[in-house]
Amino acid sequence: MNMTLPHNRLLGDMPKIGIRPTIDGRLGGVRESLEEQTMNMARAVAQFLSENLRHYNGLPVECVIADTTIGGVAEAARTAEQFRKAGVGVSLTVTTCWCYGAETMDMDPDLPKAVWGFNGTERPGAVYLAAVSAAHNQKGLPVFNIYGRDVQDAGDSSIPEDVQEKLLRFARTGLAVANMRGKSYLSMGGVSMGIGGSIVIPDFFERWLGMRVETIDMVEFVRRMDRGIYDHEEFEQALAWVKANCPEGKDYNSPERQRSRDQKDADWATSVKMALITRDLMVGNPKLAEMGYGEEALGRNAIASGFQGQRQWTDHLPNGDFLEAILNTSFDWTGIRAPYIVATENDAMNGASMLFNHLLTNAATIFADVRTYWSPAAVKRVTGHELAGRAADGILHLINSGPAALDGTGQQSRNGEPAMKPYWEITEEEAQACLKATTWHASDLGYFRGGGWSTRFRTRGGMPVTMCRINWVQGLGPAMQIAEGWTVDLPDHVHTVLDERTNPTWPTTWFVPRTTGSGPFRDVYTVMNNWGANHGAIGYGHYGADLIALCAMLRIPVYMHNVPEEQIFRPSAWTLFGANEPMGADFRACSNYGPLYG
């Protein structure tokens, strides 16, 4: 497989990080003595962020440093104009010294903001941090405070590890905010089987995420297939790739119900066309313009989408499992490339959760039902096996048809351990291993009367993962829940017995959340019992703290998480809403400020 070069497949430039070096504006010896040190601090931060971050599509993150240090309101205004023209989407102020807070602060209400005040004794950068933070809070412009734990010498140009962690957390989450703004969620169809999450709420996407909702009827797929509105050459290439790389597994339908070979081959062809059409609908395809379909060639500028499928589509035509699985995966017939975000059953709230995961990790994400809690007693009763290790308190069975990215097999590796990686780190051998670990089964015709194909794999144990879900509550709005934990392995015979009690044609992830002994994380059962919907979005790594910071930027309260307290990073104003009760303070702050985009 070739490696797809990083590129921006959506409209608009990639957002940049703006670095604002603020300074004591008193001329006559004070400002002059600080210019070089302050600009060097800005340069060091810009270099650090550029070297350690990439956008979700693989493009480098660019930093824009203010043309001059900012000692007062005139320079603050010039910098704001410079940033506006440069496409800055994230604002980071740095200083080594005291500055005039309200005169030098960033006043743009839409930009995520942070201030790093140097912890030194010669010049009180930390005093400025406290003062300007208070000014932000007084003016209703939340800001993240970055303050190193240890005092540094005045000439120390290094960035301490604790400051590095906060800089990266702020920058990652701020870029996620900026990358969503102006993009679309494409709703392909409507509500699937009465699932609340697929009742798409434009208000959520517009006011909290800065996105728009685009909607098409699923008949558009029929039109494009019937009229040949897709790249026919690519279709032949894709179909050949599928035949070579997507091995068929057992047909679990009863012999009298099984579809003929001709029907199955036709289902493959339709499934491949559906994947091509979904991609074209999301991001466009210039090939269609060459074919005379200029309008269709444009796409919907969709950074995420959802396919309704069930039941109006799947009762008559092949299901969307292939299109969802292959588009969410980091590779296909075009090579190794950035995944697309496609939610099954048009569950837009889970689609947004998948998008958050992708933007924060740059890797693919798994969509799954949070289907079953298996207690140790139940597992032993059914299989005779005694759960042990991380699984000793029970396991959650995460399983759903189709949309689990093939990256979720865990066949990629990092430091010898299973992983899900950004596409530019995936080797051809790893992509092939993911494909070999996956079989494709004729869909269960009880579920999917129109046929189609479903993925089957088992996620390797030992991966640190984070599961999240945004839920919508009348009167409250969006609320996030987060569960960090690990994938676990079960003996083959135990997995088979448990898996075949549900639908063995779907991909399975055995998940154990980290428990705390209290609240919703008292034990594994309690996590399942408190999960707010039937779906969850699962990504690689323990990045719950990033999700918490992102939600604070967007004003989405987090009502359930198991992130260690010392990792939580929110704007300084959140403390003022209840320092001893951070979860309640989060709700009060989000309610007070309202959604980011009003």
Side-chain angles (χ1 to χ4, degrees), residues 412-488:
Q412 301 161 25
S413 65
R414 181 171 285 160
N415 300 321
E417 299 295 327
M420 296 167 63
K421 301 191 294 189
Y423 79 91
W424 57 87
E425 295 181 16
I426 299 172
T427 66
E428 181 178 355
E429 292 74 21
E430 289 173 325
Q432 291 294 342
C434 293
L435 287 164
K436 289 176 181 176
T438 306
T439 50
W440 298 81
H441 299 255
S443 294
D444 183 335
L445 295 172
Y447 276 89
F448 304 116
R449 299 173 185 175
W453 296 93
S454 294
T455 52
R456 185 187 191 188
F457 63 73
R458 181 179 7 159
T459 301
R460 288 176 66 193
M463 284 202 297
V465 294
T466 300
M467 182 168 72
C468 72
R469 165 77 191 192
I470 303 170
N471 295 297
W472 182 272
V473 184
Q474 181 64 32
L476 172 65
M480 169 67 87
Q481 58 187 150
I482 301 165
E484 293 184 338
W486 297 268
T487 63
V488 295

Side-chain angles (χ1 to χ4, degrees), residues 327-409:
L327 290 178
N328 278 309
T329 297
S330 300
F331 45 84
D332 61 15
W333 50 89
T334 65
I336 300 172
R337 45 88 177 138
Y340 299 83
I341 301 301
V342 186
T344 196
E345 295 159 354
N346 197 26
D347 184 348
M349 301 310 286
N350 215 55
S353 306
M354 295 167 70
L355 179 59
F356 285 12
N357 289 349
H358 177 49
L359 294 176
L360 293 175
T361 68
N362 294 334
T365 184
I366 298 171
F367 181 119
D369 274 0
V370 186
R371 181 163 284 234
T372 310
Y373 165 69
W374 277 100
S375 68
V379 171
K380 189 167 185 179
R381 175 179 60 82
V382 171
T383 69
H385 176 72
E386 188 139 353
L387 294 174
R390 284 198 174 116
D393 187 39
I395 50 179
L396 298 184
H397 193 180
L398 309 181
I399 179 172
N400 193 295
S401 63
L406 271 58
D407 305 64
T409 57

Side-chain angles (χ1 to χ4, degrees), residues 41-85:
M41 186 180 184
R43 294 186 189 105
V45 170
Q47 181 179 353
F48 171 73
L49 294 177
S50 297
E51 290 177 349
N52 286 278
L53 292 173
R54 283 209 210 184
H55 290 288
Y56 65 97
N57 53 21
L59 289 170
V61 169
E62 296 182 54
C63 293
V64 177
I65 301 175
D67 290 335
T68 67
T69 55
I70 302 168
V73 65
E75 289 154 330
R78 280 201 293 268
T79 298
E81 181 64 9
Q82 176 194 350
F83 285 4
R84 185 187 66 78
K85 291 179 178 178

